[in-house]
Every structure is written in structure tokens, then in C-alpha cells.
Amino acid sequence: MDKQITYVQWRARLNEITPSDMRLGEDVLLIEGSSPKELKDAPFKCDATTCIIYKRGRVRFKVNMKEFWAEAPCMVVMPADAIIQTIEVSDDIETDIVVMSRNFSDSLFSAQHNLSPLYKIILDNPILDLRDVSVQPVELYYQMLKALITRSNSPYMLEAARHLTMALFYSFTSSMHTATALQPKTRGDEIYEQFAELLRANYKSQHELSFYAEQMCLTPKYLSKAVRLTTGRTATEWIDDYVTTEAKALLTSTQLTIQQISDQLGFRSQSLFGKFFKRVVGLSPREYRNQAVG
């Protein structure tokens, strides 16, 4: 099994493997031919938005508890603060990666631009399948961005990189909106989507099924059954997984104490958090952290 590395180590590794002529300060970093295999197994949080252009291979991963398969040619967008977990990577993987700082990506998806609705679509499905559209815009974007960073000494490099990236996302906005609008939704889909949205907004403070059922004007039994029929898992299982995955990410991605993590996740005491975590994960929070970073 590949040795997993923590988020703090991952940030240091980025600095190690990115030459100075492949970065625009701390705002944009380019990585060529890098494999995400070493990030396998442990969920972690990243404070940067990452665009991974898969030229060869396939990968299975989770973003905010939702599982995806990506197969080249495609582009995957990992938003800042998403909980990311790489599960499986093919041996022939080949990628170009663009890492964008929070300030840089926030400037793209701010309310002043028409790209803000695209951000929600990316959260729902971070994969852009380049078999269905021309791969040329993505290849051209990367090559132009690389040329800008490696060959230009212009004081407007950062602004030029921002406009290049905005142009790329604008080129896909209408097609992604159209594809999303054409997918019919069942009543179960609607219930799960509403539940998932509530869960993403409240899981740090609300751990009981009754809260979500009340917010949706449904009985807990009906909500759980509808979610299970749609996803194969009960609503309670989704709640437990969201809380424990956030806890795992904080345990491996930060130096917060277990008490601080317990407080962030809305538990009345560290003891209750520890019992909850061990029931779901099979290890205590301290055991999990020691195993993950050891």
C-alpha cells in the first residue's frame, strides 16, 4: 500500500516538486506528470482549488463523501475546502495539474462573475468528460498558462492567468448547465438532494435524523427510507459518514487537538465524540490519527 501523507506534508511536497519557473508566486502552480497515488486512503482537506487534467488512466475518488470514477481524457476540479479521498489509481496515470490558491479561485467564482452558478455544478459533479467535448480548449489553456508563467515577465501575469482560467470555465458553463437541466429527477432524487444540501450545511452541529426530517416536513422513517432507496444507504448512515469523514480530515490535515475537533463538530464533550467516532470507525480519534500519520 502506498504510504499516505498528511495535508501539511502535501503542502510541503507541492513546494518541493514545483520548480520556481512553474509557479506564479503562491497563486498558481503547475505540476506535470504527477500521480496522486500517494494521497491514497486518508481523506484530507486542501485550501487550494486543484484542476487535474487526466491525459491517460483512470482514478476513483470521493469529494465530500460522493464517489466518482474519472477516465481520461477528462478534467477534474477539486474545490478549496472539499474533503478529498483518492481510493484507486490506475498504473498508467498521466496528468497535468493546476493548483490555484484560495484568493485566486475566489476571484474566479465571486458573485461579480457569471461563473458563481458553475461552482455549485462543480460541487455536484467535479468531472468534465473531454470525450464529449473538444479536448482542445483544455490543452490550449494549459499550454498558454504554462507559456505565460515560464516565459513572461509582465507585471500583469496574475491578471492574465485569471482571465485565461475564466475563459476556460466560461467555455463550459452553458454545456454543463444544459446537461444538468436535461436529466429528469424522481421524487426520491429530489428528497435526497434536499437532504444532502441540508446535511452539508448542518452536519457539524446537527447529528440527529429528526432534525433533518423536521426541516423537510417528513417523518424520520420516510426520509430514511427514501434516501436508502435512492442511494443504497440510510439517512443516518449519511449523517454518520459526513461527521466521521470531517473528523478524519481534521485529524490528518490539521494540528487541532481532539478536544478542538470535538468542539468544531458540535459534540457536547470529547468523551461523546470519542465514543461516536469509535462506534463508526472502529478506532478512537487518537488511534486513528497515530495510525494515519505514523
Side-chain angles (χ1 to χ4, degrees), residues 202-250:
N202 296 282
Y203 72 90
K204 291 183 182 180
S205 60
Q206 300 294 338
H207 309 155
E208 299 297 328
L209 176 61
S210 56
F211 167 82
Y212 299 95
E214 182 178 347
Q215 294 295 308
M216 297 173 66
C217 299
L218 301 172
T219 66
K221 183 177 180 180
Y222 182 83
L223 172 59
S224 193
K225 182 178 179 181
V227 170
R228 180 173 58 80
L229 289 174
T230 301
T231 68
R233 310 174 74 190
T234 67
T236 298
E237 288 174 330
W238 278 108
I239 296 169
D240 288 352
D241 274 357
Y242 259 80
V243 178
T244 54
T245 300
E246 175 80 13
K248 288 177 180 179
L250 292 173

Side-chain angles (χ1 to χ4, degrees), residues 247-294:
K248 288 177 180 179
L250 292 173
L251 287 165
T252 59
S253 305
T254 74
Q255 295 181 334
L256 293 174
T257 67
I258 293 172
Q259 179 64 62
Q260 289 171 324
I261 293 172
S262 172
D263 292 342
Q264 281 201 18
L265 293 176
F267 287 90
R268 291 194 301 273
S269 69
Q270 181 177 328
S271 175
L272 287 175
F273 168 59
K275 290 177 181 177
F276 167 84
F277 190 89
K278 187 159 188 175
R279 173 178 64 80
V280 180
V281 179
L283 297 170
S284 71
R286 192 173 305 280
E287 288 170 338
Y288 179 85
R289 171 173 269 174
N290 290 340
Q291 185 181 92
V293 303

Side-chain angles (χ1 to χ4, degrees), residues 31-45:
I31 306 170
E32 294 186 349
S34 179
S35 166
K37 283 184 178 181
E38 60 193 340
L39 299 180
K40 190 174 173 182
D41 295 323
F44 71 102
K45 277 192 168 185

Side-chain angles (χ1 to χ4, degrees), residues 86-293:
T86 302
I87 302 169
E88 184 177 341
V89 181
S90 66
D91 291 334
D92 62 340
I93 202 76
E94 184 179 349
T95 62
D96 287 332
I97 301 175
V98 182
V99 181
M100 298 176 284
S101 72
R102 179 189 297 278
N103 287 339
F104 186 88
S105 59
D106 283 353
S107 71
L108 300 177
F109 296 108
S110 65
Q112 63 181 316
H113 299 130
N114 294 328
L115 287 176
S116 51
L118 180 61
Y119 188 76
K120 185 178 185 304
I121 296 175
I122 289 171
L123 286 176
D124 292 336
N125 185 2
I127 303 171
L128 176 64
D129 190 339
L130 299 179
R131 292 173 297 184
D132 298 332
V133 298
S134 172
V135 72
Q136 187 175 1
V138 175
E139 292 179 341
L140 185 61
Y141 161 71
Y142 185 83
Q143 293 305 321
M144 291 179 68
L145 188 59
K146 181 179 176 180
L148 174 70
I149 292 175
T150 59
R151 302 173 194 170
S152 174
N153 292 316
S154 167
Y156 305 108
M157 287 173 62
L158 183 60
E159 193 63 22
R162 183 178 292 112
H163 283 285
L164 269 176
T165 307
M166 287 177 63
L168 175 71
F169 284 126
Y170 272 126
S171 70
F172 295 121
T173 303
S174 59
S175 61
M176 293 180 78
H177 270 295
T178 301
T180 302
L182 290 176
Q183 296 176 358
K185 294 180 181 178
T186 66
R187 174 59 177 155
D189 291 334
E190 293 174 351
I191 289 175
Y192 172 68
E193 286 185 5
Q194 186 181 355
F195 167 70
E197 187 173 345
L198 279 169
L199 183 56
R200 284 192 292 266
N202 296 282
Y203 72 90
K204 291 183 182 180
S205 60
Q206 300 294 338
H207 309 155
E208 299 297 328
L209 176 61
S210 56
F211 167 82
Y212 299 95
E214 182 178 347
Q215 294 295 308
M216 297 173 66
C217 299
L218 301 172
T219 66
K221 183 177 180 180
Y222 182 83
L223 172 59
S224 193
K225 182 178 179 181
V227 170
R228 180 173 58 80
L229 289 174
T230 301
T231 68
R233 310 174 74 190
T234 67
T236 298
E237 288 174 330
W238 278 108
I239 296 169
D240 288 352
D241 274 357
Y242 259 80
V243 178
T244 54
T245 300
E246 175 80 13
K248 288 177 180 179
L250 292 173
L251 287 165
T252 59
S253 305
T254 74
Q255 295 181 334
L256 293 174
T257 67
I258 293 172
Q259 179 64 62
Q260 289 171 324
I261 293 172
S262 172
D263 292 342
Q264 281 201 18
L265 293 176
F267 287 90
R268 291 194 301 273
S269 69
Q270 181 177 328
S271 175
L272 287 175
F273 168 59
K275 290 177 181 177
F276 167 84
F277 190 89
K278 187 159 188 175
R279 173 178 64 80
V280 180
V281 179
L283 297 170
S284 71
R286 192 173 305 280
E287 288 170 338
Y288 179 85
R289 171 173 269 174
N290 290 340
Q291 185 181 92
V293 303

